[in-house]
Amino acid sequence: MLLQGHLLKWEAQVHPLRQLFWECTLRCNLNCRHCGSDCTASALTPDMPFEDFEKVLLRIREAYNSKDILLIFSGGEPLMRKDLAQCGRRIHELGFPWGLVTNGFLLTPKKALELLKCGMRAATVSLDGLEDEHDWMRGVPGSFKRADEAIRYLSSVSFLGFDVVTCVTKKNIGQLSQIKEYLIGAGVKAWRLFTVFPVGRAAADPDLQLTPEQYRSLMDFIVACRKEGRIRASYGCEGFLGPYEKKVRDYPFSCQAGLSIASVRIDGAISGCTSIRASYGQGNIYQDDFVDVWEHRFGIFRDHTPFKTGPCRDCRWWKKCKGNGMHLRGENGELLLCNLSRL
């Protein structure tokens, strides 16, 4: 098995494309307090026509094996697109496995069955607490009941790669054990937990930010869940965690943006993942060839040396952390948040 440092160097050189996010809409039916993109029901930016994105997929299929690349609909809320099932069917015909990240509000059993018939093989539903806490976070009454319906249905689909993701805040950290029991009772096998980073609406909302003590208690909770073995709990790819590495995830931390993960944003920009600042775009599908951009650009994603400044310059964890995830870098490369310092 390759050591972590050698593995990262290999991935930077070979950069095997494994996941492609399509920011297919910025419209959203909820009003989430922790939204990183400030989406609204009628976004100023129109949805990208599928025909434009299809050209990218056809080009990718010429260069790579489409079966090895998971395409993920993201947003906004992907289900705001009326043509989502038709898009999924065509993507499936092109040989790409696909999934979506959703708040679950519009994912009725009928809609879920339609998407499954169109080739959906992965899904993530966001749940940010029990009923009161989830509805508070999502800004729309009834959000929990709709998400609950989606979660229970998708958990029953044996061939679907399905998980629930929870944003842990000051509001819900005290009920993590209750949320865990609810998810187990709903048939959920995999649960990802994450914390907000200071971008978008979350930047100005102190109710969403954990204290260092709460952050450590979250790590300890995940460790305990994993030892218990009743649900596959894990911490998201939020950053390097020092002594908690390999205890809260199945793999050591590495930011895969630009190594194995790419995205096409709503305006055609080509980047790592959609959580990364727009200034890190590497090209645009309306002017550039996607495969050429993936193969020959993404320099800052594959070599983080320019980030070895400020608190990272003399940090003894640099070789394993590499300056944290790309989504935690500001417009000018400044470090927005160091997870390790919170521990």
Side-chain angles (χ1 to χ4, degrees), residues 145-197:
K145 291 179 179 178
R146 300 293 284 272
D148 171 69
E149 183 180 38
I151 287 168
R152 292 181 184 276
Y153 181 84
L154 294 177
S155 294
S156 69
V157 181
S158 60
F159 61 82
L160 184 70
F162 174 63
D163 68 353
V164 169
V165 63
T166 296
C167 177
V168 182
T169 68
K170 287 181 180 177
K171 190 82 170 177
N172 63 16
I173 191 167
Q175 61 173 208
L176 290 180
S177 293
Q178 294 169 271
I179 298 171
K180 179 190 73 172
E181 294 302 326
Y182 155 73
L183 292 174
I184 293 172
V188 176
K189 302 295 190 299
W191 183 26
R192 275 184 295 144
L193 301 97
F194 73 102
T195 49
V196 297
F197 51 97

Short mmCIF file of all heavy atoms in Angstrom, two decimals, residues 145-197:
data_model
loop_
_atom_site.label_atom_id
_atom_site.label_comp_id
_atom_site.label_asym_id
_atom_site.label_seq_id
_atom_site.Cartn_x
_atom_site.Cartn_y
_atom_site.Cartn_z
N LYS A 145 -40.42 16.56 7.84
CA LYS A 145 -41.32 15.49 7.44
C LYS A 145 -41.08 15.05 6.01
O LYS A 145 -41.14 13.86 5.68
CB LYS A 145 -42.77 15.96 7.63
CG LYS A 145 -43.17 16.12 9.09
CD LYS A 145 -44.60 16.60 9.24
CE LYS A 145 -44.97 16.73 10.72
NZ LYS A 145 -46.35 17.25 10.92
N ARG A 146 -40.77 16.02 5.14
CA ARG A 146 -40.51 15.68 3.75
C ARG A 146 -39.17 14.94 3.61
O ARG A 146 -39.05 13.98 2.84
CB ARG A 146 -40.53 16.94 2.90
CG ARG A 146 -41.84 17.70 2.93
CD ARG A 146 -42.97 16.95 2.25
NE ARG A 146 -42.86 17.00 0.81
CZ ARG A 146 -43.38 17.97 0.05
NH1 ARG A 146 -44.05 18.97 0.63
NH2 ARG A 146 -43.23 17.94 -1.25
N ALA A 147 -38.16 15.40 4.35
CA ALA A 147 -36.85 14.72 4.32
C ALA A 147 -36.97 13.32 4.90
O ALA A 147 -36.36 12.36 4.40
CB ALA A 147 -35.81 15.53 5.08
N ASP A 148 -37.75 13.18 5.96
CA ASP A 148 -37.96 11.89 6.60
C ASP A 148 -38.56 10.88 5.61
O ASP A 148 -38.14 9.73 5.54
CB ASP A 148 -38.88 12.06 7.81
CG ASP A 148 -39.31 10.73 8.41
OD1 ASP A 148 -38.46 10.04 8.98
OD2 ASP A 148 -40.50 10.38 8.27
N GLU A 149 -39.54 11.32 4.84
CA GLU A 149 -40.17 10.45 3.85
C GLU A 149 -39.15 9.98 2.81
O GLU A 149 -39.10 8.79 2.46
CB GLU A 149 -41.32 11.18 3.15
CG GLU A 149 -42.08 10.31 2.16
CD GLU A 149 -43.21 11.07 1.47
OE1 GLU A 149 -43.04 12.27 1.16
OE2 GLU A 149 -44.26 10.46 1.23
N ALA A 150 -38.32 10.92 2.36
CA ALA A 150 -37.30 10.56 1.37
C ALA A 150 -36.27 9.60 1.96
O ALA A 150 -35.86 8.63 1.31
CB ALA A 150 -36.60 11.83 0.87
N ILE A 151 -35.85 9.86 3.19
CA ILE A 151 -34.83 9.02 3.84
C ILE A 151 -35.34 7.59 4.01
O ILE A 151 -34.63 6.62 3.72
CB ILE A 151 -34.44 9.63 5.20
CG1 ILE A 151 -33.58 10.89 4.98
CG2 ILE A 151 -33.70 8.61 6.07
CD1 ILE A 151 -33.37 11.72 6.23
N ARG A 152 -36.55 7.45 4.47
CA ARG A 152 -37.09 6.10 4.72
C ARG A 152 -37.26 5.33 3.41
O ARG A 152 -37.01 4.12 3.36
CB ARG A 152 -38.42 6.20 5.48
CG ARG A 152 -38.24 6.70 6.90
CD ARG A 152 -39.55 6.77 7.67
NE ARG A 152 -39.35 7.34 8.99
CZ ARG A 152 -38.94 6.65 10.06
NH1 ARG A 152 -38.73 5.34 9.96
NH2 ARG A 152 -38.77 7.24 11.23
N TYR A 153 -37.66 6.03 2.36
CA TYR A 153 -37.81 5.33 1.08
C TYR A 153 -36.46 4.92 0.51
O TYR A 153 -36.26 3.75 0.13
CB TYR A 153 -38.55 6.21 0.07
CG TYR A 153 -38.76 5.50 -1.26
CD1 TYR A 153 -39.82 4.64 -1.45
CD2 TYR A 153 -37.85 5.67 -2.30
CE1 TYR A 153 -39.99 3.96 -2.65
CE2 TYR A 153 -38.01 5.00 -3.51
CZ TYR A 153 -39.09 4.15 -3.68
OH TYR A 153 -39.24 3.47 -4.85
N LEU A 154 -35.51 5.85 0.46
CA LEU A 154 -34.21 5.55 -0.15
C LEU A 154 -33.45 4.50 0.65
O LEU A 154 -32.69 3.71 0.08
CB LEU A 154 -33.39 6.83 -0.26
CG LEU A 154 -33.94 7.89 -1.23
CD1 LEU A 154 -33.08 9.14 -1.21
CD2 LEU A 154 -34.04 7.34 -2.66
N SER A 155 -33.65 4.48 1.97
CA SER A 155 -32.98 3.46 2.79
C SER A 155 -33.43 2.05 2.44
O SER A 155 -32.71 1.09 2.72
CB SER A 155 -33.25 3.73 4.28
OG SER A 155 -32.65 4.93 4.70
N SER A 156 -34.60 1.93 1.83
CA SER A 156 -35.15 0.61 1.51
C SER A 156 -34.67 0.09 0.15
O SER A 156 -34.95 -1.06 -0.20
CB SER A 156 -36.68 0.66 1.51
OG SER A 156 -37.16 1.44 0.42
N VAL A 157 -33.94 0.94 -0.60
CA VAL A 157 -33.49 0.54 -1.94
C VAL A 157 -32.11 -0.11 -1.81
O VAL A 157 -31.11 0.57 -1.58
CB VAL A 157 -33.43 1.75 -2.89
CG1 VAL A 157 -32.99 1.31 -4.28
CG2 VAL A 157 -34.79 2.44 -2.95
N SER A 158 -32.05 -1.41 -1.97
CA SER A 158 -30.83 -2.17 -1.65
C SER A 158 -29.65 -1.84 -2.55
O SER A 158 -28.50 -1.89 -2.12
CB SER A 158 -31.12 -3.67 -1.71
OG SER A 158 -31.57 -4.04 -3.01
N PHE A 159 -29.91 -1.50 -3.83
CA PHE A 159 -28.80 -1.29 -4.77
C PHE A 159 -28.33 0.15 -4.82
O PHE A 159 -27.42 0.48 -5.57
CB PHE A 159 -29.22 -1.73 -6.18
CG PHE A 159 -30.39 -0.97 -6.74
CD1 PHE A 159 -30.23 0.27 -7.35
CD2 PHE A 159 -31.67 -1.51 -6.66
CE1 PHE A 159 -31.31 0.96 -7.86
CE2 PHE A 159 -32.76 -0.83 -7.18
CZ PHE A 159 -32.58 0.41 -7.79
N LEU A 160 -28.92 1.02 -4.00
CA LEU A 160 -28.58 2.45 -4.04
C LEU A 160 -27.48 2.78 -3.05
O LEU A 160 -27.54 2.37 -1.88
CB LEU A 160 -29.83 3.28 -3.72
CG LEU A 160 -29.69 4.80 -3.82
CD1 LEU A 160 -29.55 5.22 -5.29
CD2 LEU A 160 -30.89 5.49 -3.18
N GLY A 161 -26.47 3.50 -3.48
CA GLY A 161 -25.48 4.03 -2.56
C GLY A 161 -26.07 5.25 -1.88
O GLY A 161 -26.15 6.33 -2.48
N PHE A 162 -26.50 5.10 -0.64
CA PHE A 162 -27.26 6.16 0.02
C PHE A 162 -26.66 6.51 1.38
O PHE A 162 -26.25 5.62 2.13
CB PHE A 162 -28.71 5.71 0.20
CG PHE A 162 -29.54 6.67 1.02
CD1 PHE A 162 -29.77 7.96 0.56
CD2 PHE A 162 -30.07 6.29 2.24
CE1 PHE A 162 -30.52 8.86 1.31
CE2 PHE A 162 -30.83 7.17 2.99
CZ PHE A 162 -31.05 8.46 2.52
N ASP A 163 -26.61 7.81 1.66
CA ASP A 163 -26.25 8.24 3.00
C ASP A 163 -26.98 9.52 3.36
O ASP A 163 -27.59 10.18 2.51
CB ASP A 163 -24.73 8.39 3.16
CG ASP A 163 -24.14 9.55 2.36
OD1 ASP A 163 -24.86 10.18 1.56
OD2 ASP A 163 -22.94 9.83 2.53
N VAL A 164 -26.96 9.83 4.65
CA VAL A 164 -27.52 11.06 5.18
C VAL A 164 -26.37 11.92 5.67
O VAL A 164 -25.40 11.41 6.26
CB VAL A 164 -28.51 10.76 6.33
CG1 VAL A 164 -28.89 12.04 7.08
CG2 VAL A 164 -29.75 10.07 5.80
N VAL A 165 -26.45 13.21 5.41
CA VAL A 165 -25.41 14.13 5.84
C VAL A 165 -26.02 15.14 6.80
O VAL A 165 -27.12 15.65 6.58
CB VAL A 165 -24.74 14.82 4.64
CG1 VAL A 165 -25.71 15.67 3.85
CG2 VAL A 165 -23.54 15.64 5.08
N THR A 166 -25.31 15.43 7.89
CA THR A 166 -25.81 16.32 8.93
C THR A 166 -24.79 17.41 9.22
O THR A 166 -23.61 17.13 9.47
CB THR A 166 -26.09 15.55 10.23
OG1 THR A 166 -27.14 14.61 10.00
CG2 THR A 166 -26.50 16.48 11.37
N CYS A 167 -25.27 18.65 9.18
CA CYS A 167 -24.44 19.79 9.57
C CYS A 167 -24.58 19.97 11.08
O CYS A 167 -25.68 20.26 11.58
CB CYS A 167 -24.89 21.05 8.83
SG CYS A 167 -23.97 22.52 9.30
N VAL A 168 -23.50 19.81 11.81
CA VAL A 168 -23.53 19.89 13.26
C VAL A 168 -23.28 21.33 13.70
O VAL A 168 -22.28 21.94 13.33
CB VAL A 168 -22.51 18.94 13.89
CG1 VAL A 168 -22.59 18.99 15.42
CG2 VAL A 168 -22.74 17.51 13.40
N THR A 169 -24.18 21.86 14.49
CA THR A 169 -24.11 23.24 14.97
C THR A 169 -24.36 23.28 16.48
O THR A 169 -24.65 22.25 17.10
CB THR A 169 -25.17 24.10 14.27
OG1 THR A 169 -26.48 23.68 14.71
CG2 THR A 169 -25.08 23.96 12.75
N LYS A 170 -24.31 24.48 17.04
CA LYS A 170 -24.64 24.64 18.45
C LYS A 170 -26.08 24.23 18.73
O LYS A 170 -26.42 23.81 19.83
CB LYS A 170 -24.44 26.09 18.87
CG LYS A 170 -22.99 26.53 19.00
CD LYS A 170 -22.90 27.98 19.44
CE LYS A 170 -21.44 28.41 19.57
NZ LYS A 170 -21.33 29.84 19.93
N LYS A 171 -26.91 24.33 17.71
CA LYS A 171 -28.34 24.05 17.87
C LYS A 171 -28.63 22.56 18.01
O LYS A 171 -29.56 22.17 18.73
CB LYS A 171 -29.09 24.60 16.65
CG LYS A 171 -30.60 24.60 16.77
CD LYS A 171 -31.10 25.79 17.54
CE LYS A 171 -32.61 25.91 17.45
NZ LYS A 171 -33.12 27.03 18.27
N ASN A 172 -27.85 21.71 17.35
CA ASN A 172 -28.20 20.28 17.34
C ASN A 172 -27.15 19.37 17.96
O ASN A 172 -27.37 18.16 18.04
CB ASN A 172 -28.51 19.81 15.91
CG ASN A 172 -27.32 19.90 14.98
OD1 ASN A 172 -26.17 20.04 15.41
ND2 ASN A 172 -27.58 19.82 13.68
N ILE A 173 -26.02 19.92 18.40
CA ILE A 173 -24.96 19.03 18.90
C ILE A 173 -25.40 18.26 20.13
O ILE A 173 -24.95 17.14 20.37
CB ILE A 173 -23.66 19.81 19.16
CG1 ILE A 173 -22.52 18.82 19.40
CG2 ILE A 173 -23.83 20.80 20.32
CD1 ILE A 173 -21.15 19.44 19.38
N GLY A 174 -26.33 18.81 20.90
CA GLY A 174 -26.78 18.13 22.10
C GLY A 174 -27.73 16.97 21.83
O GLY A 174 -28.05 16.21 22.76
N GLN A 175 -28.18 16.81 20.59
CA GLN A 175 -29.12 15.74 20.28
C GLN A 175 -28.56 14.73 19.28
O GLN A 175 -29.32 13.99 18.64
CB GLN A 175 -30.43 16.31 19.75
CG GLN A 175 -30.34 17.12 18.49
CD GLN A 175 -31.71 17.51 17.93
OE1 GLN A 175 -31.85 17.71 16.74
NE2 GLN A 175 -32.71 17.65 18.78
N LEU A 176 -27.23 14.68 19.14
CA LEU A 176 -26.64 13.76 18.17
C LEU A 176 -27.01 12.31 18.45
O LEU A 176 -27.26 11.53 17.51
CB LEU A 176 -25.12 13.92 18.13
CG LEU A 176 -24.59 15.22 17.52
CD1 LEU A 176 -23.06 15.24 17.55
CD2 LEU A 176 -25.10 15.42 16.10
N SER A 177 -27.06 11.93 19.70
CA SER A 177 -27.43 10.55 20.03
C SER A 177 -28.87 10.25 19.61
O SER A 177 -29.17 9.15 19.12
CB SER A 177 -27.26 10.30 21.53
OG SER A 177 -25.89 10.34 21.90
N GLN A 178 -29.76 11.24 19.78
CA GLN A 178 -31.16 11.06 19.36
C GLN A 178 -31.26 10.96 17.84
O GLN A 178 -32.02 10.16 17.31
CB GLN A 178 -32.01 12.22 19.86
CG GLN A 178 -32.13 12.30 21.37
CD GLN A 178 -32.76 13.62 21.79
OE1 GLN A 178 -32.08 14.61 22.00
NE2 GLN A 178 -34.07 13.62 21.91
N ILE A 179 -30.49 11.80 17.15
CA ILE A 179 -30.49 11.75 15.68
C ILE A 179 -29.98 10.39 15.22
O ILE A 179 -30.53 9.78 14.29
CB ILE A 179 -29.62 12.88 15.10
CG1 ILE A 179 -30.19 14.25 15.49
CG2 ILE A 179 -29.54 12.76 13.57
CD1 ILE A 179 -29.27 15.41 15.12
N LYS A 180 -28.93 9.91 15.88
CA LYS A 180 -28.39 8.60 15.52
C LYS A 180 -29.45 7.51 15.65
O LYS A 180 -29.62 6.69 14.74
CB LYS A 180 -27.20 8.27 16.43
CG LYS A 180 -26.57 6.90 16.15
CD LYS A 180 -25.56 6.52 17.22
CE LYS A 180 -26.25 6.14 18.51
NZ LYS A 180 -25.30 5.59 19.52
N GLU A 181 -30.18 7.50 16.76
CA GLU A 181 -31.21 6.48 16.96
C GLU A 181 -32.33 6.61 15.94
O GLU A 181 -32.86 5.61 15.44
CB GLU A 181 -31.77 6.58 18.38
CG GLU A 181 -30.76 6.25 19.47
CD GLU A 181 -30.16 4.85 19.33
OE1 GLU A 181 -30.87 3.93 18.87
OE2 GLU A 181 -28.97 4.69 19.67
N TYR A 182 -32.69 7.85 15.60
CA TYR A 182 -33.72 8.06 14.57
C TYR A 182 -33.25 7.47 13.24
O TYR A 182 -34.02 6.76 12.56
CB TYR A 182 -34.03 9.55 14.41
CG TYR A 182 -34.56 9.88 13.04
CD1 TYR A 182 -35.85 9.53 12.66
CD2 TYR A 182 -33.74 10.48 12.08
CE1 TYR A 182 -36.32 9.78 11.38
CE2 TYR A 182 -34.20 10.74 10.80
CZ TYR A 182 -35.50 10.39 10.45
OH TYR A 182 -35.95 10.62 9.18
N LEU A 183 -32.01 7.76 12.84
CA LEU A 183 -31.49 7.28 11.55
C LEU A 183 -31.43 5.76 11.52
O LEU A 183 -31.79 5.14 10.51
CB LEU A 183 -30.12 7.89 11.29
CG LEU A 183 -30.08 9.40 11.03
CD1 LEU A 183 -28.63 9.89 10.92
CD2 LEU A 183 -30.86 9.76 9.77
N ILE A 184 -30.97 5.16 12.60
CA ILE A 184 -30.91 3.69 12.65
C ILE A 184 -32.31 3.12 12.51
O ILE A 184 -32.55 2.16 11.76
CB ILE A 184 -30.24 3.23 13.96
CG1 ILE A 184 -28.75 3.62 13.96
CG2 ILE A 184 -30.39 1.72 14.13
CD1 ILE A 184 -28.06 3.39 15.29
N GLY A 185 -33.28 3.74 13.20
CA GLY A 185 -34.66 3.28 13.10
C GLY A 185 -35.25 3.45 11.71
O GLY A 185 -36.13 2.70 11.31
N ALA A 186 -34.73 4.44 10.96
CA ALA A 186 -35.21 4.68 9.59
C ALA A 186 -34.51 3.80 8.57
O ALA A 186 -34.83 3.87 7.38
CB ALA A 186 -35.01 6.15 9.23
N GLY A 187 -33.56 2.99 9.03
CA GLY A 187 -32.87 2.07 8.12
C GLY A 187 -31.62 2.62 7.49
O GLY A 187 -31.04 1.99 6.58
N VAL A 188 -31.15 3.77 7.95
CA VAL A 188 -29.95 4.39 7.37
C VAL A 188 -28.71 3.62 7.80
O VAL A 188 -28.52 3.32 8.98
CB VAL A 188 -29.85 5.87 7.78
CG1 VAL A 188 -28.55 6.49 7.26
CG2 VAL A 188 -31.05 6.65 7.26
N LYS A 189 -27.84 3.33 6.83
CA LYS A 189 -26.61 2.58 7.13
C LYS A 189 -25.38 3.49 7.23
O LYS A 189 -24.43 3.15 7.92
CB LYS A 189 -26.36 1.54 6.02
CG LYS A 189 -27.49 0.53 5.84
CD LYS A 189 -27.67 -0.35 7.06
CE LYS A 189 -28.63 -1.50 6.79
NZ LYS A 189 -29.98 -1.06 6.42
N ALA A 190 -25.40 4.63 6.51
CA ALA A 190 -24.23 5.50 6.46
C ALA A 190 -24.63 6.94 6.81
O ALA A 190 -25.63 7.45 6.28
CB ALA A 190 -23.57 5.45 5.09
N TRP A 191 -23.84 7.57 7.65
CA TRP A 191 -24.14 8.91 8.16
C TRP A 191 -22.87 9.74 8.15
O TRP A 191 -21.89 9.40 8.80
CB TRP A 191 -24.70 8.79 9.57
CG TRP A 191 -25.14 10.06 10.23
CD1 TRP A 191 -25.55 11.20 9.64
CD2 TRP A 191 -25.22 10.28 11.65
NE1 TRP A 191 -25.90 12.14 10.59
CE2 TRP A 191 -25.71 11.59 11.83
CE3 TRP A 191 -24.95 9.49 12.77
CZ2 TRP A 191 -25.91 12.13 13.11
CZ3 TRP A 191 -25.15 10.03 14.04
CH2 TRP A 191 -25.64 11.33 14.20
N ARG A 192 -22.87 10.82 7.38
CA ARG A 192 -21.74 11.75 7.36
C ARG A 192 -22.08 13.00 8.15
O ARG A 192 -23.15 13.58 7.97
CB ARG A 192 -21.38 12.14 5.92
CG ARG A 192 -20.46 11.18 5.21
CD ARG A 192 -20.09 11.70 3.84
NE ARG A 192 -21.25 11.78 2.96
CZ ARG A 192 -21.44 12.74 2.06
NH1 ARG A 192 -20.56 13.73 1.94
NH2 ARG A 192 -22.50 12.73 1.28
N LEU A 193 -21.18 13.41 8.99
CA LEU A 193 -21.36 14.63 9.76
C LEU A 193 -20.31 15.64 9.33
O LEU A 193 -19.18 15.27 8.99
CB LEU A 193 -21.25 14.35 11.26
CG LEU A 193 -22.27 13.32 11.81
CD1 LEU A 193 -21.62 11.94 11.90
CD2 LEU A 193 -22.78 13.74 13.17
N PHE A 194 -20.67 16.91 9.34
CA PHE A 194 -19.71 17.95 8.99
C PHE A 194 -20.04 19.20 9.77
O PHE A 194 -21.07 19.28 10.46
CB PHE A 194 -19.72 18.22 7.48
CG PHE A 194 -20.94 18.95 6.98
CD1 PHE A 194 -20.88 20.30 6.69
CD2 PHE A 194 -22.14 18.28 6.78
CE1 PHE A 194 -22.00 20.99 6.23
CE2 PHE A 194 -23.27 18.95 6.31
CZ PHE A 194 -23.20 20.31 6.04
N THR A 195 -19.17 20.17 9.71
CA THR A 195 -19.40 21.46 10.36
C THR A 195 -19.29 22.55 9.32
O THR A 195 -18.66 22.37 8.27
CB THR A 195 -18.37 21.69 11.48
OG1 THR A 195 -17.05 21.43 10.97
CG2 THR A 195 -18.63 20.76 12.66
N VAL A 196 -19.89 23.69 9.59
CA VAL A 196 -19.91 24.77 8.60
C VAL A 196 -18.57 25.48 8.58
O VAL A 196 -17.85 25.52 9.57
CB VAL A 196 -21.03 25.78 8.87
CG1 VAL A 196 -22.39 25.11 8.77
CG2 VAL A 196 -20.86 26.42 10.24
N PHE A 197 -18.24 26.05 7.44
CA PHE A 197 -17.07 26.92 7.35
C PHE A 197 -17.55 28.33 7.04
O PHE A 197 -18.65 28.52 6.51
CB PHE A 197 -16.06 26.40 6.31
CG PHE A 197 -16.63 26.10 4.96
CD1 PHE A 197 -16.54 27.03 3.94
CD2 PHE A 197 -17.22 24.87 4.68
CE1 PHE A 197 -17.04 26.76 2.68
CE2 PHE A 197 -17.73 24.60 3.42
CZ PHE A 197 -17.64 25.55 2.42
#
